[in-house]
Amino acid sequence: MPGPSQGMYDRFYPETAADPTYWSFDCIGLVRWAWYKATGRDIITERTTQATFAAPGYAHTKLLKSQGSAALLPGDIMYFGRDGFGPTHVALYLGNGLMVEAPESGAKIQVNSISARWDRYQGAFRPHADAVPMVWTWDGRGSYHKTWGQPNLRQDSNTGSGINFSNGNGISVEVRVLCQRVGERATVDGMVNNVWSYLPDYHSWISNLFVQGPALLKDVPSCGDFPPIGGTLAGAENNTSCGDGTQPDSAGAWTAKSTTVFGRTVELRYNGTTQFAWGRITGGTVGDEIWVDRSADGGKTWDSMLGYTTVTSGNDAYTTQWNDAGLVMRACGTNGRGGSIECTGWF
């Protein structure tokens, strides 16, 4: 969807080195976003200046350089480039001989006179955008956050609802978040979250798993504050967004499997809310070992010694937690390095 994004580094142009760190527009991105905000439709779907000039993809009137600047109207899309090389830059005409543009890496969006580039002007397109503009619901409300990965933007706050948009290229984009509510508990890359955010510019929902930041976005209100959307954050406080190797600090855990080794108790601890598990050894001494194994085929093969740790003081120790959704796990412990190994059953 139109909007600012993070740029890409081009090794042939050193000035682009910092582009991936900026939330910004390139020239065609700015024009695309402006027309999207004006019409509510993403009419400029090609990604480059050259592609939009060669095949605009929308109904339009083409204006030639020979017609001069008097033929231009505000909103016309102006193209610039060297003769014989095609267009390399695009800007939006504002009227009175002025244009707004995203000129180059490292420069801010600015308003300039078209006379400064007139020698490279190659023509303009005037889109035939006669549709009724979209009413931008809650325009000016909400806060901006960036996404990661390849999220689906859905019609409701669950993975069974229809997909309105998909970000299949994995490029982070900035999104306006209006509110959030508890929905389906989703798991991605070992993280768990039951909170979803509403994106008014997309009229869609996104799992907070794909929004940079904590499980519950700070200072973003409950969707219950917006009756046409609705929802509540009740239950979000019990949600633990966790990943492999994180500390098992969530409430509600229980011992799913246990065994003993020379008087020590080896346990596989499990939390059904987060679907994470970890190992614990109690009643031991310094040097005792504990870890977990995890299997995707019912225990025929497994990843071994995950979260390996030892008792360093006192009598107990536990591993970090590991995603157990759709998998089986067991805990293994020893009575000191080189001692006997005992493992719980798979769970």
Side-chain angles (χ1 to χ4, degrees):
M1 294 292 286
S5 64
Q6 290 172 286
M8 294 182 289
Y9 171 60
D10 186 333
R11 62 188 179 90
F12 294 107
Y13 297 92
E15 64 270 22
T16 67
D19 281 10
T21 67
Y22 294 141
W23 284 102
S24 57
F25 288 106
D26 61 4
C27 61
I28 189 62
L30 175 63
V31 170
R32 178 188 176 201
W33 176 81
W35 270 99
Y36 174 63
K37 291 295 288 186
T39 66
R41 294 184 296 150
D42 185 18
I43 64 174
I44 304 173
T45 55
E46 294 78 10
R47 292 188 59 187
T48 67
T49 297
Q50 293 81 3
T52 60
F53 189 77
Y58 53 85
H60 66 278
T61 297
K62 185 173 182 179
L63 305 172
L64 304 177
K65 183 174 182 177
S66 60
Q67 295 176 261
S69 61
L72 296 171
L73 292 176
D76 286 349
I77 303 170
M78 304 180 69
Y79 288 84
F80 303 88
R82 295 182 184 276
D83 290 340
F85 290 92
T88 56
H89 183 59
V90 65
L92 198 67
Y93 187 60
L94 295 178
N96 298 320
L98 299 176
M99 62 183 178
V100 61
E101 59 179 339
E104 60 190 356
S105 294
K108 294 183 178 180
I109 293 172
Q110 52 196 249
V111 174
N112 290 314
S113 170
I114 63 173
S115 61
R117 297 187 187 271
W118 189 256
D119 61 326
R120 298 188 181 184
Y121 174 59
Q122 296 194 355
F125 290 125
R126 181 176 300 153
H128 296 173
D130 53 359
V132 177
M134 178 186 295
V135 176
W136 288 98
T137 310
W138 298 290
D139 211 3
R141 300 284 301 273
S143 57
Y144 286 90
H145 301 266
K146 76 172 186 175
T147 68
W148 66 274
Q150 299 181 345
N152 292 321
L153 307 187
R154 296 186 176 273
Q155 296 171 6
D156 206 344
S157 52
N158 62 78
T159 58
S161 60
I163 298 173
N164 290 333
F165 305 96
S166 293
N167 181 9
N169 57 23
I171 297 175
S172 294
V173 296
E174 189 175 56
V175 292
R176 180 166 66 106
V177 175
L178 181 70
C179 61
Q180 53 189 344
R181 75 184 184 195
V182 168
E184 179 191 4
R185 186 176 303 280
T187 302
V188 174
D189 290 348
M191 297 183 292
V192 179
N193 203 338
N194 65 355
V195 181
W196 293 65
S197 290
Y198 184 71
L199 311 181
D201 295 334
Y202 293 81
H203 299 273
S204 300
W205 293 91
I206 184 174
S207 168
N208 276 20
L209 288 170
F210 293 105
V211 182
Q212 293 281 50
L216 192 64
L217 294 176
K218 184 179 179 181
D219 300 326
V220 175
S222 166
C223 289
D225 294 351
F226 300 88
I229 301 175
T232 177
L233 286 174
E237 66 276 8
N238 297 321
N239 181 64
T240 301
S241 183
C242 51
D244 284 355
T246 55
Q247 293 300 310
D249 54 4
S250 55
W254 54 286
T255 299
K257 296 284 184 177
S258 66
T259 187
T260 59
V261 54
F262 282 88
R264 288 87 162 152
T265 299
V266 176
E267 301 169 277
L268 180 71
R269 300 282 292 170
Y270 179 74
N271 189 308
T273 301
T274 64
Q275 292 186 288
F276 275 70
W278 58 94
R280 181 172 71 180
I281 188 168
T282 60
T285 188
V286 172
D288 289 353
E289 301 167 301
I290 183 70
W291 66 87
V292 293
D293 298 333
R294 182 168 60 180
S295 173
D297 55 14
K300 296 177 182 178
T301 62
W302 58 84
D303 295 321
S304 63
M305 302 195 77
L306 303 177
Y308 170 86
T309 190
T310 63
V311 177
T312 56
S313 63
N315 309 105
D316 310 328
Y318 58 86
T319 72
T320 50
Q321 64 186 354
W322 298 82
N323 180 20
D324 195 25
L327 308 169
V328 293
M329 290 180 61
R330 68 182 182 184
C332 301
T334 74
N335 58 316
R337 188 178 298 273
S340 298
I341 298 176
E342 293 291 342
C343 296
T344 69
W346 292 102
F347 176 80

